[in-house]
Amino acid sequence: MAAVREGLPDGRYGRSADQRADRKLKIIGAVLGAGLLGVVGWAGVSYISGQDLSGRVITWDAVSDHAVKVHLEVVKGAGDKGVCTLRSQAADGSEVGRKDVTVDQRASQVDTEVTLRTTKRATNAVLVGCTSASSSS
């Protein structure tokens, strides 16, 4: 009885083409994965560091058919200045009031009450956004 060998002897002829291709694919995958991780990290850091001002509407009250009282809270750097835009809508969804509020107090958290004039009865008051105007030293 003769033994029949299948394949080549181990280690005699070097790596097969499939093994070399697998190694290249693993290296390429690792490089692309590291690159993607770097891009996601960079995007996260730039998003967080780019937010100079953040604000929120604490409460609002339609005090009349032509005015809304808004309690606005803004968190910022102590020396930063900025502008926050408030908007109000009617029951049909149309915009009935808009106001830019300048935030230039030296505190890092500013609570302020703003009266927003409207063209008809408002059903909400929302903060559109806050942007940094300039920094003072």
Side-chain angles (χ1 to χ4, degrees):
M1 292 183 95
V4 177
R5 288 180 73 93
E6 293 181 20
L8 302 172
D10 292 335
R12 189 164 192 186
Y13 297 104
R15 293 182 157 182
S16 71
D18 288 343
Q19 288 175 332
R20 282 192 293 269
D22 287 347
R23 180 174 162 84
K24 286 181 183 178
L25 286 175
K26 286 178 185 177
I27 291 171
I28 291 171
V31 169
L32 290 176
L36 179 63
L37 188 61
V39 168
V40 169
W42 172 78
V45 168
S46 66
Y47 176 75
I48 291 170
S49 64
Q51 290 186 335
D52 298 335
L53 295 170
S54 65
R56 65 182 181 148
V57 172
I58 304 297
T59 60
W60 64 271
D61 182 31
V63 293
S64 72
D65 286 344
H66 298 287
V68 176
K69 186 186 247 183
V70 180
H71 180 188
L72 178 66
E73 176 187 80
V74 179
V75 178
K76 62 181 186 60
D80 293 344
K81 296 179 182 179
V83 176
C84 293
T85 303
L86 295 169
R87 173 178 117 166
S88 187
Q89 293 175 304
D92 62 1
S94 63
E95 184 175 295
V96 295
R98 180 177 286 258
K99 184 173 188 174
D100 290 333
V101 179
T102 302
V103 181
D104 57 0
Q105 294 86 340
R106 287 207 155 291
S108 61
Q109 180 174 339
V110 177
D111 286 312
T112 184
E113 286 196 358
V114 178
T115 300
L116 180 64
R117 293 180 182 246
T118 60
T119 56
K120 61 182 178 180
R121 186 82 176 172
T123 58
N124 69 8
V126 295
L127 177 65
V128 175
C130 293
T131 56
S132 180
S134 67
S135 297
S136 63
S137 301

